[in-house]
Structure formats: structure tokens, C-alpha cells
Amino acid sequence: MLDVIVIGAGPAGVVAALRAADLGAKTALITRDEFGGMAASDGPVPVRTLAHAARLIRDARQLGQYGITVNEPILDYSRLLSRVRQVVSDVQARSVFRPQIDSLGVAVYEKAGSARFADPHSIETEKGLRLQAEKIIICTGGVSRRLSVPGAELTATHSDAWSLTSVPSSMMVIGAGATGVQVASVFNAFGSKVSLFQAGPRILTTEDQDVSEAVAAALRKSGIAVRENFGDIASFERTPSGVRMIFSKDGAFDSAEAALAVVAVGWVANTAGLNLSRPGVETDHRGFVRVDAYLRTSASHVFAAGDITGRLMLVPTAIQDGFVAATNAVRGTTMTLGNQVTPVGSFTDPEYAQVGMTEEKAREAHDVVTAIMPFDSATRTIIDGRTTGFCKLIADRATYQILGCHVVGDRAVEITQAAAIAISAGMRVDDLAHVPLSFPTYVGILGRAAASAARQLNLKVKWQEVHAGA
Ligand SMILES: Cc1cc2nc3c(=O)[nH]c(=O)nc-3n(C[C@H](O)[C@H](O)[C@H](O)COP(=O)(O)OP(=O)(O)OC[C@H]3O[C@@H](n4cnc5c(N)ncnc54)[C@H](O)[C@@H]3O)c2cc1C
């Protein structure tokens, strides 16, 4: 019998297997597909590659502003997909985790078929593999949620981007969370006529209100039709050139048509077929595996990590989860997740990113000051002709602690990493303002926002003048 079996080789499963083996446990890692999971083959890696292509098109269109004459960029989508496949393969081949896993003696079963519990301690796969272990860690991630309305089979998900042969002439994207907005932004840059449908009153509902509004305005300016509060979907039907969505609002029916309809309405746990009732693993009302602070499930010998637990669905979170779950599986329940500082961002046009609390959340428990630095007042963004956006910093009026940072605009994701470091280090807003950041940089805008917040708090900032020119 093994000590630990990990099911699923995405970031959570890979790190769980690595950690368990590092702690001396005899470990096996079983996965249906390839090492790396959805993150490597269907999530951030390929999507970011498409987003990079969209950025290159933007950059090419800007060349004239700098006196460089080229023709209008033309996208060859099938060549772009070849590049995506090459990137995915390079990332997998250069994974730092694979050699470590191998050197620690983890038995890796790739493309093993779907795994399931045969009994509380035995895992069997479709391809006939059967292993037993004292502890089992479930890291099977999730899949796009599908709609359950007539004609839903006519819709696509972000994963269908990999099998398109060309850029669709028009696209409706249903769901304006991180994935939907990213798909809309990227395919708009590729030349599709895009409409973005959001059931709620604003897009990007988990972002700060100012960020939602600024991104919605920028998407509209770039030609995307953004429709908030659009109503309830009744059905989809085929048309000669694509698909029609029929929806109703306040009793009145309406419809929209496009060559392709992409649904991005959330994520469901990959629990189907795992036979979770055999070990007694419970799921919550959304279908995700229920875990305690140690990532232990309702069966005391089974742990779960990553997207399958339905919390923040991000690669860094999955990695931390895998580490914690494996530590507890091998050593006993000794480690909890603690307070995680988790920056979140998306590679849209314009980019947006956040770390910490939104202003609305911060105001629930704190007396706050906010400082907003518009991109059109910073030297570097003016140099680069990237003047759309802002950096918003939220600080506690009593303790001067940084509570949140929200950025819209070019390099928003990178700027937010510096704020995440400041928040992790427990820096006060004047501490951050005192860091002598390089000039002229994007991250300098964060220093300037910190100096502005510190001034509002009557804190002395000796770098104020420097940041004034960032
Ligand atoms: C379009 C998109 C863009 C994203 N962009 C970002 C981003 O920019 N940054 C970021 O941090 N996160 C991003 N994410 C989220 C990120 O990809 C996930 O949070 C992360 O992959 C979760 O890791 P995981 O290990 O929990 O699961 P996964 O990566 O989903 O891995 C699960 C593994 O389990 C296997 N599996 C499933 N069921 C079984 C079974 N029954 N038996 C055996 N194996 C099974 C699967 O084959 C897979 O290998 C994005 C996601 C999407 C969809």
C-alpha cells in the first residue's frame, strides 16, 4: 500500500505530490490527461498566448504614432494556434516540477483515464490501473459550466478556441467575468464583431466598482457591445450563419445573433465519476468538495486542493493548497492556509488587476483614504502612449496600512505585484511611498498613489517630489 495517492496533475496535484514525497511519503500521481493540467493546456498558458497576440496587434497599430510605417496587421489564426501549441509544449517540457517529482521517486501515471474510488482507500482508472493508499488527495479541478436551456449544445466555451479554423466574423460572449471579458477582448482585437452579455448590473462583479466601470467603458470604446442586465436566456437556435440567442427581459422577448456564441458563466467541480460517496466525501451546495481549514474533506483520510474546493480559482492558490493538503496528509493536521494575499489580474485590453480589498469591502470595516493616479498624468504611460487607466490605492486612516490596490491599464497585472509585496510585508502606505522606484516606470504610478495617500494622512514623504514625476 502507498502512503499517498494524488488524483489530478494540475498545479495543485503536482505540488501536493512533490510535497508528500519530499516529506518521505511513498506517493503516486494519477491523471487523466497530461502533466500540468488545465493550467498548462487549456487555461492561463494558451489563453495568455492569445492575449499576447492581441497585444502585438495593438502595438503594431501604434507604430505610426512613432513614425514607423507598416501595413495593417493581418492575423493568420491557424499559425497563431501553432504558436499556442508550441508554447504549451515548451512550458510543459521546461516544467521545473517534473524533474523534481521524478527525482523524488513519485510514480506518475499520465493519460491514465478518469480515476475513481473503488473503495475508501483504493483508486482505479478507466485504463485498468488500481492502487491503494493510506491518504488520498483530490486535485481534479473543474470545467466550464454549461447552460441548461434548449439549444445549449449550439454554444461553445473558451476551450473551443483551440479547434476554430479561423476567427469568427462575429461572436457573442455570455458571461462577463474574468474568462468572458478576456475572450471578448482577445477576439475583438482579432477582428470579430463582439457582443458581451452580462446578466447582472455590471461586468467583472468581483472587481472594484471603479475597475468594472473603467473596463466596460474601454471595451465599449474599442467597439465591443456591452449589454449589462440583458435578461434571461430562453434558448439558442441555429441560423444559416451561426447561432441565435433568444432572451427575455420584463416579459418582452429579444434576440441576438452571431457566428459563434461562447458561454463563460462559471466553473463546476470535476467530481463526476469519482465515486465520492465510497469514501464519504461530501460536496457543498455548488458541487465543490467541502474542506476544513486543513483542506481535509468529510472523510478524514481524504484531502482536496485547488479548483475542486471552489475557492479562489487561481494557479498560485492551487499551488498553496497542494502544499498545505500534502503537509497535513503526511504529518497530520498541522498547517492551515492562513491569510493569503492573492493578486488577481487579467490580460485584456485594457488590463486590470487587484490585490486586497475593494473599496466597498474596505469601507465595511475601516475608515479609509483612497488615492487615484490616472495613467494620463504619469511620464512612462505618456511616453508609451498608454494613457488609459488608473491606479487606486486604499489605506486605513487609523493604521496607515494598505488595504487594497486596483489598477486598470497597461501592465496593471505587473504593477499589482508590487502592491501585493507591500501588503504581504505589512507595509504602511508611507513605507511604500518611501521606496525609491525607478523612473520612468509603470510601477512608479503605484509609488505616486502611495505618496498621495500618505499626504492625505498628513504623513511626511521625502520622495514626494520624485514620485510626482513618475
Ligand atoms: C480561460 C482560463 C484562464 C485562466 N487564467 C488564469 C490566470 O491568468 N492566472 C491564474 O492564476 N489562473 C488562471 N486560471 C485558473 C487556473 O487555470 C486554475 O485555477 C488552475 O489550473 C487550478 O489548478 P488545479 O490543479 O486545481 O486543477 P487543473 O489545472 O484543472 O488540473 C486538474 C487535473 O485533474 C485531472 N482530472 C480531472 N478529473 C480527473 C479524474 N477523474 N481522474 C484523473 N484525473 C482527473 C485533469 O485532467 C487535470 O490534469 C484560468 C482558467 C481558465 C479556464
Side-chain angles (χ1 to χ4, degrees):
M1 179 172 309
L2 292 157
D3 296 319
V4 175
I5 294 174
V6 178
I7 314 173
V14 167
V15 170
L18 197 61
R19 173 67 173 161
D22 202 29
L23 292 174
K26 204 170 162 209
T27 305
L29 175 61
I30 303 176
T31 196
R32 188 180 54 203
D33 308 304
E34 287 171 343
F35 191 86
M38 186 270 292
S41 58
D42 185 39
V45 174
V47 172
R48 180 77 184 95
T49 310
L50 293 188
H52 183 63
R55 169 183 278 274
L56 291 175
I57 292 172
R58 293 204 285 285
D59 288 349
R61 294 219 168 99
Q62 213 196 359
L63 292 174
Q65 224 182 328
Y66 292 80
I68 305 162
T69 307
V70 290
N71 295 328
E72 175 68 12
I74 298 168
L75 174 69
D76 179 338
Y77 191 69
S78 58
R79 281 179 62 193
L80 172 57
L81 286 191
S82 301
R83 173 66 186 156
V84 169
R85 284 191 287 274
Q86 186 194 336
V87 168
V88 167
S89 147
D90 283 359
V91 168
Q92 277 167 344
R94 293 174 207 183
S95 158
V96 291
F97 290 133
R98 189 62 203 247
Q100 290 178 48
I101 285 251
D102 291 340
S103 72
L104 285 166
V106 175
V108 180
Y109 299 92
E110 277 183 83
K111 298 184 183 167
S114 286
R116 58 184 170 258
F117 283 88
D119 64 51
H121 288 274
S122 304
I123 300 297
E124 62 185 14
T125 75
E126 281 170 333
K127 292 200 178 164
L129 178 71
R130 192 179 167 107
L131 299 171
Q132 284 189 314
E134 293 286 346
K135 303 281 170 55
I136 292 162
I137 308 176
I138 307 170
C139 305
T140 51
V143 285
S144 298
R145 188 162 83 80
R146 304 303 300 237
L147 293 169
S148 51
V149 294
E153 70 283 359
L154 301 173
T155 64
T157 69
H158 79 275
S159 307
D160 293 296
W162 321 128
S163 52
L164 292 176
T165 50
S166 60
V167 173
S169 55
S170 57
M171 179 183 279
M172 52 182 149
V173 180
I174 298 125
T179 299
V181 170
Q182 199 155 202
V183 169
S185 173
V186 164
F187 279 88
N188 182 53
F190 291 171
S192 284
K193 188 169 169 36
V194 178
S195 309
L196 179 62
F197 291 84
Q198 168 72 340
R202 66 177 171 110
I203 69 165
L204 300 172
T205 45
T206 55
E207 297 298 321
D208 191 271
Q209 175 103 26
D210 288 343
V211 171
S212 293
E213 284 171 13
V215 175
L219 294 181
R220 284 193 168 98
K221 200 170 164 204
S222 71
I224 298 176
V226 182
R227 296 188 61 169
E228 295 97 347
N229 279 326
F230 77 96
D232 300 314
I233 301 172
S235 61
F236 291 90
E237 55 190 38
R238 206 182 291 281
T239 66
S241 56
V243 60
R244 178 182 300 122
M245 175 173 74
I246 297 156
F247 54 98
S248 67
K249 183 156 187 212
D250 304 328
F253 279 88
D254 198 351
S255 68
E257 287 180 27
L260 187 72
V262 178
V263 172
V265 292
W267 211 230
V268 287
N270 241 336
T271 52
L274 277 172
N275 278 347
L276 291 182
S277 58
R278 294 228 165 117
V281 170
E282 290 169 6
T283 53
D284 64 19
H285 64 286
R286 298 181 305 150
F288 290 93
V289 170
R290 192 193 302 281
V291 287
D292 64 14
Y294 303 98
L295 297 180
R296 186 176 46 185
T297 70
S298 47
S300 61
H301 70 292
V302 181
F303 292 75
D307 281 9
I308 191 73
T309 65
R311 291 162 314 114
L312 258 188
M313 298 189 209
L314 293 167
V315 170
T317 317
I319 287 174
Q320 283 173 333
D321 274 13
F323 189 90
V324 169
T327 303
N328 293 328
V330 178
R331 286 197 171 152
T333 46
T334 49
M335 183 183 272
T336 55
L337 286 169
N339 279 339
Q340 293 167 298
V341 174
T342 312
V344 181
S346 198
F347 304 98
T348 41
D349 175 24
E351 282 186 14
Y352 65 88
Q354 62 155 299
V355 62
M357 292 181 227
T358 61
E359 182 175 347
E360 191 183 15
K361 188 84 199 150
R363 285 194 186 282
E364 286 172 12
H366 302 262
D367 184 9
V368 305
V369 296
T370 63
I372 297 185
M373 281 300 130
F375 270 33
D376 64 5
S377 66
T379 308
R380 177 57 188 272
T381 46
I382 293 171
I383 292 170
D384 288 2
R386 300 290 186 211
T387 49
T388 299
F390 60 83
C391 171
K392 170 174 174 178
L393 206 57
I394 304 159
D396 185 293
R397 197 177 279 281
T399 63
Y400 314 135
Q401 295 292 316
I402 303 163
L403 300 175
C405 175
H406 304 269
V407 187
V408 175
D410 218 25
R411 323 276 169 103
V413 181
E414 305 294 337
I415 295 170
T416 308
Q417 306 312 303
I421 294 168
I423 294 175
S424 292
M427 287 171 87
R428 292 179 6 166
V429 73
D430 51 330
D431 295 330
L432 178 57
H434 279 127
V435 177
L437 301 166
S438 295
F439 171 85
T441 56
Y442 284 82
V443 78
I445 300 168
L446 174 66
R448 214 170 129 199
S452 165
R455 264 197 305 277
Q456 292 182 57
L457 292 163
N458 294 320
L459 297 165
K460 269 202 160 335
V461 183
K462 61 177 183 260
W463 289 103
Q464 254 173 45
E465 288 72 32
V466 176
H467 287 309

